[in-house]
Amino acid sequence: SQTIHQWPATLVQPVGSPLSLECTVEGTSNPNLYWYRQAAGRGLQLLFYSVGIGQISSEVPQNLSASRPQDRQFILSSKKLLLSDSGFYLCASRTEMDSPLHFGNGTRLTVT
Amino acid sequence: KQEVTQIPAALSVPEGENLVLNCSFTDSAIYNLQWFRQDPGKGLTSLLLIQSSQREQTSGRLNASLDKSSGRSTLYIAASQPGDSATYLCASNTGKLIFGQGTTLQVKP
């Protein structure tokens, strides 16, 4: 079965600083990869998804970006963080369109 | 645009009760529907996935049903335990997964 690794688990960053969150997947190849954000008191918001290396689709216009440099690596980045970027960031993976979605343990980001 | 709604938002029950969590969705053209559990500060753990051609799935004390025509799914938890306390989310899959807001369950000893 798939295992999704995310790091770091928690992160405190000042406004205007850069961001890089990494997600790696074990136990599958050519997965569909997803970045979600869960803000306090709100549901999960899909930020980006990728169906292959170098293929990124953005769901929400914002100052975040995503990249997929390798088959099982998905990176979420920002050049300058905003206060509103605070939240719980979750990476998810599935093998096919109709297969179960599996999540990592998430990164709690606080922008101060 | 798919919308997913979960009712109730919060639920508190005594240990041992059977309970039902509800999930409704507006677009019935789904591949499947998936139920998750989320403990505070943690990621989501997949509980059950029901394909669009299925009516229900069971895992231990959990049973999930799907009625595509009415746009509804339920998660039935039998003989609830304090360890079941968590937030339960459903997600409809139309190619993209759209999540409900979740139901926060508290099972009191």
Side-chain angles (χ1 to χ4, degrees):
Chain A
S1 63
Q2 298 180 51
T3 303
I4 296 102
H5 300 282
Q6 282 189 250
W7 64 92
T10 60
L11 189 61
V12 180
Q13 291 284 101
V15 168
S17 63
L19 173 74
S20 180
L21 301 181
E22 189 163 343
C23 168
T24 58
V25 181
E26 293 180 355
T28 186
S29 59
N30 196 31
N32 295 332
L33 298 176
Y34 303 84
W35 278 111
Y36 285 89
R37 178 170 61 199
Q38 188 177 37
R42 300 179 65 181
L44 274 82
Q45 180 185 35
L46 177 62
L47 302 176
F48 300 95
Y49 68 93
S50 172
V51 298
I53 296 174
Q55 301 178 59
I56 308 294
S57 296
S58 174
E59 288 294 301
V60 181
Q62 56 208 327
N63 70 319
L64 299 172
S65 62
S67 62
R68 187 171 176 174
Q70 301 181 42
D71 181 45
R72 290 173 288 175
Q73 183 184 30
F74 204 23
I75 298 172
L76 183 69
S77 304
S78 174
K79 293 182 179 178
K80 290 184 178 181
L81 284 169
L82 306 173
L83 286 174
S84 59
D85 291 324
S86 294
F88 192 45
Y89 288 82
L90 291 154
C91 178
S93 169
R94 62 181 177 182
T95 53
E96 303 289 344
M97 192 66 73
D98 60 351
S99 59
L101 188 67
H102 298 279
F103 282 85
N105 284 328
T107 294
R108 174 76 56 191
L109 172 66
T110 303
V111 183
T112 60
Chain B
K1 178 183 176 183
Q2 176 76 292
E3 293 183 3
V4 179
T5 305
Q6 290 189 246
I7 295 173
L11 183 63
S12 180
V13 300
E15 182 177 5
E17 271 204 9
N18 302 324
L19 58 100
V20 175
L21 307 181
N22 297 293
C23 172
S24 61
F25 48 95
T26 54
D27 184 353
S28 62
I30 60 172
Y31 287 96
N32 52 52
L33 188 135
Q34 196 169 354
W35 282 93
F36 296 86
R37 168 185 173 139
Q38 186 177 27
D39 293 292
K42 302 294 185 181
L44 279 69
T45 300
S46 179
L47 297 174
L48 290 164
L49 180 141
I50 313 176
Q51 298 293 354
S52 61
S53 58
Q54 297 174 323
R55 285 285 188 149
E56 63 179 75
Q57 282 287 327
T58 298
S59 175
R61 294 183 293 108
L62 304 180
N63 176 278
S65 68
L66 176 64
D67 184 343
K68 275 181 53 178
S69 61
S70 65
R72 293 180 181 178
S73 177
T74 63
L75 179 66
Y76 175 82
I77 303 177
S80 59
Q81 302 171 358
D84 294 330
S85 298
T87 297
Y88 292 81
L89 297 103
C90 68
S92 71
N93 180 14
T94 57
K96 298 176 184 178
L97 265 77
I98 305 298
F99 285 81
Q101 295 282 343
T103 295
T104 299
L105 171 66
Q106 181 184 32
V107 181
K108 297 180 179 179

